[in-house]
Amino acid sequence: MTTLTVTILVLLHVSFAPSLAAQLPGDHDTNGKSSSLLPPIATNGQPFPWIHMRLPETVSPIHYDLLVHPNLTSLDFTGAVQIQLQVFEDTSTIILHSKDLQIAKAEPLQVLEYPAFHQLALMSDVLLVRGGMYKVRLEFSANLSDSFHGFYKSSYRTTKGEVRFMASTQFEATSARAAFPCFDEPAFKANFTIQIRRESRHIALSNMPKVKTVELPGGVLEDHFDTSVRMSTYLVAFIVSDFQSVSKTTSHGVKISVYAVPDKINQTDFALNAAVRLLDFYDDYFDIPYPLPKQDLAAIPDFQSGAMENWGLTTYREAGLLFDPNKSSASDKLGITMVIAHELAHQWFGNLVTMQWWNDLWLNEGFAKFMEFVSVNITNPELQVNDFFLGKCFEAMEVDSLSSSHPVSSQVDTPTQIQEMFDDVSYDKGACILNMLRDFLTPEAFKIGIVRYLRRYSYQNTVNSHLWESLTNVSVQHTNSQHTINQHTVTVNLDVRAIMDTWTLQEGFPLVTVEVRGRQVRLSQERYLKTDDPSQTHGFLWQVPLTYITSSSSTVHRFLLKTRTDVLYLPEEVGWVKFNVDMSGYYMVHYEGEGWRSLTSLLLTNHRALSSNDRASLINNAFQLVSVGKVGLDTALDLSLYLSKETDIMPVTQGLGELVPLYKLMEKRDMEGLENQMKGYIVELFRGLIDRQTWSDDGSVSQRVLRSYLLLFGSVRNHPPCVATATHLFNKWRASDGNMSLPSDVSLAVFAIGARDPEGWDFLFEKYRHSQHTSVKSRIKSALSISPLQHKLKRLMEQSLAGEVMKTQDLPHVVISVSRNPKGYKLAWDFLRHNWHTLVKKFDLGSHSISGMVTGVTNQYSTREMLDEVRGFFDSLSEETGSGLRCIQQTYESIEENIRWMDQHLPQLKAWLDRQAQGARTETQGHEDL
């Protein structure tokens, strides 16, 4: 291990006016919470001179010179960093971050370490003077991480069976400090000049282009990269590997390259072309040139999240970047394009303009999620992305309907709390409220506002209010002429901040109740919350941009609901009214009186009078309102009957999304009769649509994605035509030793049937082992987890944890999928408990992977016994091992809600299904009598 030396190298006498609020250690009461009233103790037993989780603002980095030398044989690394600092207040102490790096004391500075906060203190004998600029140099070493964050090792197996290692970085949110000592907070932006040492058989990549390579004694090569633009530490990236690449240049002159392991370089063309189109689109849309000369996209064999927006070197799971036209499905094409669109949007939203602190993470992630749909809708209209946006809102509402939800903008301090912000609220709710605001202001005004925001705050950090100010300034010029709101043309400036603060600074969302009496429409709002404690809904008020159409007018009318109750007047009496047109608003609607009955009648007689998004939102709202006692279960089920005529993807998938969970709850109880009755109703409801599906890859993207969904559902539910076709195709495929070409979109259904017997399961597992096609492996993995063979399900999870044949990155998906399996849910729960400490070390406390497993494994339980068992385990954890995680509270709430639902509605459900069965028998008897 190389020891660290610390030296103050240069004092540059530069005078300037400080631009940051200067605060001395000990006087900082806005910088995160201190651990206690007593000063923290450094590792050497001395008092540590800083008591807060957040760094002081007495000094700030200007420039980093970073040298890193990974050894891919011994799987460790050494490095040195020289940091140029600007001093804002006289001080003799520099506080910065370092995590799990080997650091030794060195003269003339004393080095103190406080690992609990990942902090170093550099103590100087001389005063660092306000207005001065200084340099510090530190040397360090560490092992390459076994996790998926920091500077970590990754490996892959070649087609010849050789295992090769590489090293890659993942720094967001707080792991740059695990690769080099730094000021690891987003507001401490600086320039970076990076050098990487490597062997000749490898290449090195970083954020900027390589400017030269120097040969050192012993055959080691040192790559020098150009100096970066000013950016946050979490966006720094470097890779040492044997990747190969393909390249193209955008019309704006940016070189785009896609990197992958040599055996998969032939799967990179689709991503390359998509990236060129998308970067050109953003360059034009934002009217701000992409500031770097290149943009690399690298497919990393081991990667925890979907992708990462490192400036100039975006990194991805292989499944998020690699595409084979002969093997990949329509959903693969859609998914890859959307992921690339997300990361390239970040080059502006997040990289160019960055949130001041992680409490406003949604300014990064909500915008990138929203821009996925805006960009791909234009660059790839054939992907029909607008058919899928609504699903994001439903996913966000699922967690936002719990009392354990959090505001889009939430105070966070610790690394675990920061990690927890990377959830459906920051991403999906963020995107949905931006979509609502765009619809309200008009797309033109919205675009002008966000471009103004990006221009004004380039290379800076922002808070919520900066965005609202940029949009308010344009709304006065553009909204007045575009919309009629509250039945008169707007003549005053819209206060965008006042509206949007109600959506970002409080958790949850409104339920708007509509009651039509003649021409009068009475409106009221309350918080939609799944709870048996009504007091928790009090005190919430939103400014809700309502939209509506009626049986007499398909024109979209608008009304800004600012108060708890209000009234609007229609020009004439109508047969029906539908609020939240296309569900462009992030709220639910309840129709009192005859409202639901009239909309159900419309769906049964002429469902295409409403858009597919309107139909999907009615399905969602009706069933969700059953949970809070606003709508009877009979009403929601009666509405679902129209689905026998439905063919569009959003209403069909939403219908299945509301109905299937009802029998999934029953599968984990002993009620086989009612469970089978419910399954039979759903299959019968969609039987016509399922039977019309071809086992091919024909049609539009939405039709192909829907086909995959329906044929898998029909196969798993033992619908005879599906089982017969899937069995026939699997037997032919296995007889060809897997060489026969199966239609990509239906292969999951085929594999799922094949995995039902041990021989088929083993055959699929071997094909998984040897395949170089990520999309094929993904479908095989899903099929293996659907199998009813319990010993195989257990083996699947064990193999995923071992990480040799199946990548550990895929373990969360495997565990959740097994937990959905009626033969596997107990196995998944046992696996999660027994391996908890290993999992939180590998995936990181607070990560989306951990929260996904916690909620995914448990959220279909509906008995007091299981709730007690789940509580017993999670309550036994310490804070260090996860007792305070938000996902645990979400789990408790979800199980409580399931218990309430089953207790209150099972008799109703059985009675309704009995009536349906009786009606079907009567109808059949009538036909027989003819």
Side-chain angles (χ1 to χ4, degrees):
M1 301 245 181
T2 307
T3 58
L4 167 137
T5 60
V6 183
T7 319
I8 291 190
L9 292 177
V10 185
L11 166 58
L12 304 172
H13 290 287
V14 180
S15 295
F16 58 90
S19 60
L20 295 174
Q23 301 233 335
L24 286 168
D27 297 334
H28 213 308
D29 57 4
T30 60
N31 234 3
K33 298 174 182 174
S34 64
S35 55
S36 68
L37 295 176
L38 297 173
I41 303 300
T43 51
N44 66 354
Q46 294 183 21
F48 192 78
W50 185 246
I51 63 172
H52 303 286
M53 185 78 73
R54 298 278 297 276
L55 297 180
E57 296 171 352
T58 48
V59 301
S60 183
I62 303 299
H63 186 272
Y64 292 79
D65 279 294
L66 175 63
L67 169 68
V68 181
H69 183 186
N71 186 322
L72 295 185
T73 304
S74 56
L75 300 176
D76 53 18
F77 67 96
T78 57
V81 64
Q82 179 176 287
I83 311 173
Q84 184 177 338
L85 301 168
Q86 196 170 346
V87 179
F88 294 97
E89 191 72 26
D90 290 358
T91 184
S92 57
T93 304
I94 299 168
I95 309 293
L96 70 164
H97 287 114
S98 173
K99 180 184 178 186
D100 298 332
L101 299 174
Q102 296 297 319
I103 293 171
K105 300 174 186 175
E107 298 298 338
L109 295 185
Q110 182 187 12
V111 181
L112 299 179
E113 295 181 65
Y114 186 55
F117 285 3
H118 307 156
Q119 288 174 357
L120 287 182
L122 309 181
M123 315 289 289
S124 173
D125 290 334
V126 298
L127 189 68
L128 309 182
V129 182
R130 175 184 176 181
M133 295 182 76
Y134 298 80
K135 290 182 180 178
V136 297
R137 186 172 189 277
L138 304 92
E139 294 182 4
F140 52 91
S141 64
N143 292 322
L144 290 169
S145 174
D146 289 322
S147 69
F148 297 102
H149 36 269
F151 194 21
Y152 70 95
K153 63 177 183 247
S154 177
S155 65
Y156 71 94
R157 193 179 297 272
T158 68
T159 51
K160 296 179 179 176
E162 177 192 355
V163 175
R164 294 184 183 175
F165 286 94
M166 57 167 290
S168 183
T169 57
Q170 170 61 41
F171 291 162
E172 191 177 37
T174 59
S175 291
R177 64 191 68 173
F180 61 100
C182 58
F183 294 78
D184 199 14
E185 294 179 6
F188 287 111
K189 290 190 171 186
N191 303 96
F192 294 81
T193 305
I194 294 174
Q195 300 170 17
I196 301 175
R197 291 179 180 170
R198 60 178 173 85
E199 296 177 64
S200 59
R201 63 196 172 107
H202 294 131
I203 63 165
L205 301 172
S206 189
N207 304 82
M208 298 299 290
K210 185 172 68 175
V211 291
K212 68 175 179 179
T213 299
V214 177
E215 188 166 353
L216 303 177
V220 174
L221 301 178
E222 184 176 273
D223 291 334
H224 293 231
F225 296 89
D226 209 348
T227 300
S228 77
V229 294
R230 191 166 177 267
M231 65 184 187
S232 305
T233 49
Y234 77 87
L235 294 170
V236 175
F238 34 89
I239 297 170
V240 176
S241 68
D242 66 344
F243 284 173
Q244 294 180 359
S245 66
V246 296
S247 301
K248 274 189 177 179
T249 303
T250 71
S251 62
H252 293 269
V254 179
K255 183 182 179 182
I256 307 278
S257 302
V258 179
Y259 286 83
V261 301
D263 290 332
K264 299 178 182 178
I265 196 65
N266 61 344
Q267 300 176 48
T268 54
D269 282 352
F270 179 82
L272 178 64
N273 292 322
V276 168
R277 277 196 307 275
L278 285 159
L279 200 70
D280 272 336
F281 168 82
Y282 288 133
D283 245 321
D284 294 334
Y285 183 88
F286 296 132
D287 198 24
I288 300 171
Y290 175 74
L292 308 187
K294 62 95 172 175
Q295 170 63 240
D296 298 335
L297 299 84
I300 312 298
D302 297 279
F303 201 84
Q304 182 173 339
S305 62
M308 177 60 206
E309 66 266 21
N310 318 300
W311 214 342
L313 176 54
T314 52
T315 47
Y316 302 77
R317 278 189 173 217
E318 290 185 329
L321 205 60
L322 303 181
F323 181 88
D324 183 331
N326 299 316
K327 303 282 187 182
S328 301
S329 67
S331 58
D332 294 327
K333 181 182 289 189
L334 176 67
I336 290 168
T337 308
M338 298 295 270
V339 170
I340 295 171
H342 184 100
E343 303 315 322
L344 296 188
H346 270 311
Q347 308 302 298
W348 285 264
F349 279 102
N351 299 10
L352 184 67
V353 180
T354 313
M355 75 265 136
Q356 179 75 19
W357 179 244
W358 300 104
N359 62 302
D360 280 330
L361 173 68
W362 86 276
L363 289 172
N364 283 20
E365 298 300 350
F367 253 112
K369 177 61 67 176
F370 170 71
M371 287 306 301
E372 288 177 31
F373 290 88
V374 174
S375 61
V376 176
N377 188 45
I378 293 170
T379 62
N380 294 77
E382 77 282 359
L383 295 180
Q384 301 169 290
V385 291
N386 288 341
D387 285 348
F388 303 94
F389 185 77
L390 203 56
K392 298 299 167 190
C393 300
F394 295 145
E395 288 170 25
M397 286 176 161
E398 190 68 29
V399 295
D400 211 17
S401 65
L402 303 175
S403 57
S404 54
S405 186
H406 63 91
V408 167
S409 182
S410 297
Q411 180 58 40
V412 289
D413 295 305
T414 69
T416 296
Q417 291 169 346
I418 292 166
Q419 283 281 76
E420 286 189 300
M421 289 296 285
F422 290 79
D423 67 356
D424 287 345
V425 172
S426 296
Y427 285 71
D428 295 342
K429 180 178 180 178
C432 292
I433 62 175
L434 288 170
N435 184 61
M436 175 173 67
L437 182 60
R438 179 181 187 237
D439 179 70
F440 185 57
L441 297 179
T442 75
E444 298 77 15
F446 181 83
K447 178 181 174 182
I448 290 167
I450 63 172
V451 170
R452 179 177 293 177
Y453 166 79
L454 289 171
R455 286 182 181 281
R456 182 173 179 183
Y457 296 106
S458 291
Y459 303 105
Q460 298 178 55
N461 297 82
T462 59
V463 295
N464 258 345
S465 57
H466 294 141
L467 176 62
W468 307 143
E469 287 160 12
S470 298
L471 286 161
T472 294
N473 292 339
V474 296
S475 68
V476 69
Q477 302 164 37
H478 292 269
T479 305
N480 295 357
S481 60
Q482 295 288 344
H483 285 338
T484 299
I485 299 175
N486 295 18
Q487 300 171 323
H488 55 83
T489 302
V490 180
T491 55
V492 294
N493 186 17
L494 278 172
D495 187 345
V496 174
R497 180 175 182 176
I499 296 170
M500 296 309 293
D501 276 354
T502 69
W503 297 93
T504 60
L505 301 184
Q506 59 185 354
E507 68 270 27
F509 58 90
L511 166 61
V512 176
T513 296
V514 175
E515 185 178 10
V516 180
R517 294 186 178 181
R519 290 180 49 235
Q520 186 185 77
V521 182
R522 297 186 177 186
L523 304 166
S524 64
Q525 62 162 297
E526 62 189 292
R527 183 182 177 190
Y528 176 91
L529 188 66
K530 291 178 178 176
T531 178
D532 53 1
D533 180 5
S535 67
Q536 292 189 42
T537 64
H538 297 163
F540 289 85
L541 186 68
W542 286 265
Q543 292 198 26
V544 190
L546 299 178
T547 55
Y548 63 96
I549 55 176
T550 71
S551 57
S552 300
S553 172
S554 59
T555 302
V556 178
H557 301 275
R558 298 175 184 275
F559 190 94
L560 185 61
L561 179 63
K562 295 183 176 184
T563 51
R564 200 161 304 285
T565 61
D566 209 335
V567 177
L568 66 82
Y569 291 90
L570 303 172
E572 58 186 315
E573 292 192 19
V574 296
W576 53 263
V577 60
K578 166 67 172 70
F579 273 78
N580 202 357
V581 179
D582 286 335
M583 202 166 164
S584 57
Y586 186 72
Y587 58 94
M588 284 189 191
V589 183
H590 171 46
Y591 301 90
E592 288 214 322
E594 294 296 306
W596 279 110
R597 190 171 288 113
S598 62
L599 287 166
T600 298
S601 175
L602 175 66
L603 289 173
L604 287 168
T605 56
N606 181 22
H607 66 282
R608 295 212 170 266
L610 297 174
S611 70
S612 64
N613 273 7
D614 275 332
R615 303 194 303 268
S617 71
L618 287 174
I619 295 163
N620 169 271
N621 288 191
F623 278 92
Q624 294 304 312
L625 290 171
V626 172
S627 296
V628 293
K630 296 285 186 181
V631 167
L633 180 58
D634 288 14
T635 300
L637 290 168
D638 286 347
L639 185 146
S640 77
L641 287 167
Y642 106 89
L643 285 165
S644 64
K645 299 184 294 187
E646 185 60 82
T647 57
D648 288 354
I649 187 166
M650 265 318 300
V652 171
T653 54
Q654 195 56 40
L656 286 164
E658 299 296 344
L659 294 167
V660 167
L662 304 188
Y663 75 68
K664 297 306 287 185
L665 293 177
M666 298 174 206
E667 285 180 341
K668 295 166 181 60
R669 290 183 168 204
D670 184 19
M671 46 177 56
E672 196 173 346
L674 185 56
E675 174 194 325
N676 288 333
Q677 221 179 335
M678 187 68 201
K679 290 174 178 175
Y681 168 67
I682 302 172
V683 171
E684 185 59 30
L685 191 62
F686 293 103
R687 181 168 60 87
L689 187 59
I690 293 171
D691 289 346
R692 288 196 299 274
Q693 302 302 310
T694 58
W695 292 70
S696 69
D697 286 339
D698 298 333
S700 69
V701 168
S702 288
Q703 288 168 338
R704 292 175 62 186
V705 172
L706 181 59
R707 176 189 298 128
S708 298
Y709 196 102
L710 288 170
L711 293 180
L712 177 63
F713 174 76
S715 298
V716 171
R717 289 278 57 82
N718 295 314
H719 184 47
C722 290
V723 174
T725 305
T727 302
H728 172 70
L729 287 172
F730 182 78
N731 290 339
K732 283 180 68 176
W733 182 73
R734 182 162 61 172
S736 74
D737 196 27
N739 294 316
M740 184 185 100
S741 180
L742 283 172
S744 302
D745 296 332
V746 304
S747 57
L748 177 51
V750 174
F751 294 157
I753 293 299
R756 287 183 167 183
D757 65 71
E759 295 76 19
W761 199 98
D762 290 341
F763 181 80
L764 283 162
F765 188 81
E766 286 307 305
K767 290 300 156 191
Y768 181 97
R769 183 196 300 273
H770 297 294
S771 176
Q772 290 290 328
H773 297 280
T774 309
S775 57
V776 174
K777 290 171 85 91
S778 176
R779 290 193 289 277
I780 292 177
K781 175 188 65 191
S782 294
L784 296 176
S785 69
I786 296 171
S787 172
L789 306 170
Q790 289 186 318
H791 65 293
K792 298 294 190 184
L793 298 175
K794 195 172 178 185
R795 180 185 172 202
L796 187 67
M797 291 188 290
E798 290 166 351
Q799 286 284 340
S800 298
L801 183 60
E804 291 174 12
V805 177
M806 310 194 84
K807 288 285 188 183
T808 306
Q809 66 178 13
D810 296 326
L811 178 63
H813 172 269
V814 168
V815 172
I816 293 167
S817 189
V818 170
S819 76
R820 295 278 187 266
N821 185 331
K823 298 294 186 183
Y825 71 93
K826 289 180 180 173
L827 298 173
W829 169 235
D830 288 343
F831 181 90
L832 183 68
R833 285 187 293 176
H834 295 153
N835 295 286
W836 178 259
H837 298 290
T838 303
L839 295 173
V840 295
K841 185 176 179 183
K842 183 73 176 177
F843 292 104
D844 227 14
L845 264 188
S847 70
H848 200 261
S849 300
I850 293 296
S851 63
M853 282 189 283
V854 169
T855 56
V857 167
T858 60
N859 65 9
Q860 291 179 349
Y861 296 147
S862 64
T863 64
R864 284 277 160 210
E865 294 74 21
M866 277 312 300
L867 177 59
D868 291 343
E869 192 172 304
V870 170
R871 277 191 188 278
F873 172 69
F874 287 121
D875 288 354
S876 72
L877 300 176
S878 65
E879 189 174 346
E880 291 73 26
T881 57
S883 64
L885 292 177
R886 183 186 294 123
C887 60
I888 294 173
Q889 299 310 312
Q890 290 171 338
T891 285
Y892 295 163
E893 281 191 74
S894 295
I895 300 175
E896 291 270 18
E897 160 60 18
N898 292 342
I899 292 170
R900 275 197 304 276
W901 199 100
M902 296 291 266
D903 288 349
Q904 292 171 11
H905 299 115
L906 274 184
Q908 263 181 298
L909 178 60
K910 178 158 179 46
W912 190 90
L913 289 171
D914 286 344
R915 286 198 302 275
Q916 287 303 119
Q918 181 61 42
R921 282 195 296 271
T922 302
E923 187 177 336
T924 303
Q925 183 64 49
H927 288 314
E928 289 172 354
D929 291 343
L930 289 175

